[in-house]
Amino acid sequence: MTKKHDVIICGSSLAGSAAGLALARRGHSVLMLDRAEFPRRKLCGGLLTWKSVKLLASHFGETPESLTRAGALTCSADGYSIRTLTKTLVNGKLPVPFHFVDRTRFDTHLMECARNAGAETIHGHKITGCDPIKGVVTLDNGHTLQGKYVIGADGANSTVRASFPDVDRTRMKQFMAPTIEISIPRTMLFRPIRNPELYVGFIDAGYGWVFPNQDKVVIGICGLRQDNFNISQVFKKFIDFLGINMRPFPELHGHPLPYGNYLETPVHGVTLLAGDAGGLVEPLFGEGIFFALCSGMYAGEAVAQGLETDTDASQYYTARLNHFILPELKASDRLRWILFKSMKAIGPTGLQLFVKAAGRPLTEMVHGIRSYAWLRKKHWDF
Ligand SMILES: Cc1cc2nc3c(=O)[nH]c(=O)nc-3n(C[C@H](O)[C@H](O)[C@H](O)COP(=O)(O)OP(=O)(O)OC[C@H]3O[C@@H](n4cnc5c(N)ncnc54)[C@H](O)[C@@H]3O)c2cc1C
């Protein structure tokens, strides 16, 4: 057994860095583990909404300008479009811009914020096991580490979550969406792209995207598995539809996206799950960056409070999740089934009427200015 820390954080990406920063700045000894050496690649469209910008400012002290200077934020957009493969349903303006980050630089920058606040890191070793009651984590080099608390921020295929006995693994698997995403030079699209484009209707429960990102265009699809669903074939058809000449196809990369399998109580023993590890991703658009940052911050602050008052940290964590995050995920889950089912039953007309009628409040909902629950004004606690 090596040195003991107050908290072992499994995963140094977004949820892990937000948690590590919260704990380190309150003087707790924190060790962040990751199998990757940073900087590392992460498949992601990198779209940031208003609520992410708000949280980055309040928790990390970062602004779009400071992230741009760090090379992490690469471009912004003031509009969006939603399309089917045959027509444009809406070309909308945004009340505040979407921003796009390069995940390699963004993740490294936020991890460095936690490290500068005092968090220690061990990178380049895989976590192979966890005892969520004793707070013991095992690495692939045979070392074991123990914390008073463990935060599992190790992503969609979480090893820490696998150690929880009560997780509904069938539901977890059923709502884990496969994705495929590539980046191509802008010139390959043969048309300028300033704003994000979403494509619906060609996957039953999912969608495709074309996002601007500095000198690149990011193209991806995600969708729940259906009978005879081959995501590579669907992706190739999408590329052909976009008119991109890509023969022979490069090697395609995918990564699972939690898509409606959020855990309502992502805690067990002295272990808390944050971000993708807890399935905490918005189930309509698949927004995970904000929910990883926010749940990571909540987990870190809850553990700090538990350590400082010698009380159970999980109660503070679940209280904030229940108040601020889970209502959004549940309402978005309901909305997506209404939209996906209406697309299947009557085609895009229902969706088109909905986005046209809801207009600006709908974009405010995606940004987090309004709630997914009845478009009420949303109040965050940061
Ligand atoms: C194709 C795609 C596009 C996306 N686009 C967007 C988007 O545009 N906007 C948005 O908001 N969200 C998007 N998302 C979702 C978003 O990327 C995730 O929700 C977010 O990265 C979750 O952050 P996290 O910190 O929880 O986990 P991750 O970012 O997945 O980080 C987990 C970390 O844990 C480490 N790890 C994993 N297993 C182990 C192990 N056994 N041992 C040690 N370390 C381990 C990994 O190396 C990694 O660094 C997208 C997802 C995908 C797949």
Side-chain angles (χ1 to χ4, degrees):
M1 192 76 72
T2 44
K3 186 179 158 192
K4 274 200 177 184
H5 288 78
D6 288 334
V7 190
I8 308 288
I9 300 180
C10 302
S12 299
S13 185
L14 308 183
S17 299
L21 176 63
L23 282 150
R25 74 154 55 113
R26 281 164 73 159
H28 300 287
S29 65
V30 189
L31 178 63
M32 292 166 59
L33 307 172
D34 205 293
R35 68 176 167 203
E37 300 276 9
F38 286 68
R40 59 97 174 87
R41 277 195 69 205
K42 165 76 183 92
L43 215 58
C44 182
L47 188 152
L48 295 188
T49 53
W50 170 85
K51 56 189 177 299
S52 310
V53 174
K54 182 172 161 63
L55 187 146
L56 285 162
S58 75
H59 189 55
F60 287 89
E62 295 288 346
T63 60
E65 293 73 29
S66 69
L67 289 169
T68 304
R69 280 195 299 277
L73 197 150
T74 64
C75 65
S76 306
D78 58 8
Y80 68 100
S81 65
I82 302 179
R83 304 172 181 201
T84 66
L85 298 194
T86 50
K87 65 176 180 176
T88 299
L89 301 183
V90 61
N91 261 325
K93 282 266 160 229
L94 293 165
V96 284
F98 286 140
H99 299 287
F100 295 88
V101 290
D102 172 326
R103 283 294 302 267
T104 300
R105 293 192 183 139
F106 183 63
D107 294 16
T108 305
H109 187 70
L110 298 189
M111 184 273 295
E112 296 286 4
C113 289
R115 204 143 64 174
N116 291 339
E120 293 174 45
T121 52
I122 297 180
H123 290 162
H125 284 288
K126 192 175 168 187
I127 296 151
T128 52
C130 173
D131 181 331
I133 305 284
K134 292 187 182 145
V136 173
V137 173
T138 314
L139 295 182
D140 59 2
N141 57 6
H143 288 180
T144 56
L145 303 147
Q146 186 168 24
K148 293 175 191 152
Y149 283 96
V150 171
I151 296 177
D154 51 344
N157 289 326
S158 172
T159 303
V160 178
R161 187 185 65 235
S163 72
F164 279 33
D166 298 329
V167 170
D168 179 345
R169 292 179 214 288
T170 310
R171 174 172 171 265
M172 189 49 76
K173 196 169 162 197
Q174 184 185 0
F175 293 109
M176 195 62 89
T179 69
I180 291 187
E181 191 182 77
I182 56 165
S183 291
I184 58 165
R186 278 179 183 249
T187 45
M188 278 181 81
L189 196 58
F190 299 116
R191 63 183 167 89
I193 165 146
R194 281 191 50 234
N195 294 325
E197 299 167 0
L198 293 189
Y199 290 83
V200 294
F202 67 103
I203 303 180
D204 277 353
Y207 66 97
W209 61 90
V210 180
F211 288 174
N213 205 308
Q214 205 171 19
D215 54 341
K216 296 259 169 45
V217 179
V218 177
I219 301 171
I221 59 167
C222 74
L224 292 177
R225 280 193 182 79
Q226 318 276 321
D227 291 341
N228 303 319
F229 179 65
N230 181 323
I231 190 147
S232 301
Q233 274 172 17
V234 179
F235 185 75
K236 286 177 182 172
K237 280 190 191 149
F238 185 46
I239 290 290
D240 287 343
F241 160 78
L242 292 170
I244 299 166
N245 182 2
M246 201 179 281
R247 295 286 189 280
F249 265 96
E251 194 187 338
L252 297 176
H253 296 282
H255 189 80
L257 176 72
Y259 202 48
N261 50 10
Y262 47 90
L263 300 180
E264 298 204 16
T265 314
V267 295
H268 187 71
V270 295
T271 304
L272 290 66
L273 299 175
D276 280 16
L280 300 169
V281 175
E282 181 274 300
L284 177 58
F285 295 107
E287 181 185 10
I289 293 176
F290 168 76
F291 292 96
L293 292 170
C294 189
S295 61
M297 177 182 77
Y298 285 173
E301 290 180 350
V303 168
Q305 191 173 350
L307 289 169
E308 287 155 19
T309 55
D310 202 16
T311 52
D312 175 19
S314 61
Q315 62 183 310
Y316 307 119
Y317 184 47
T318 51
R320 278 174 104 182
L321 286 182
N322 279 320
H323 199 87
F324 295 102
I325 290 188
L326 288 168
E328 296 307 304
L329 303 187
K330 287 179 186 174
S332 142
D333 205 1
R334 283 193 297 272
L335 180 60
R336 78 151 170 191
W337 286 119
I338 295 169
L339 295 178
F340 287 153
K341 282 183 180 163
S342 88
M343 280 287 291
K344 203 166 179 201
I346 57 168
T349 315
L351 176 63
Q352 187 165 26
L353 288 174
F354 177 67
V355 287
K356 287 215 162 136
R360 183 181 166 119
L362 203 65
T363 54
E364 291 182 346
M365 174 191 84
V366 174
H367 269 301
I369 299 167
R370 289 180 185 277
S371 171
Y372 276 86
W374 307 112
L375 296 173
R376 285 191 295 255
K377 201 98 185 125
K378 178 76 185 174
H379 297 285
W380 297 99
D381 64 344
F382 51 82

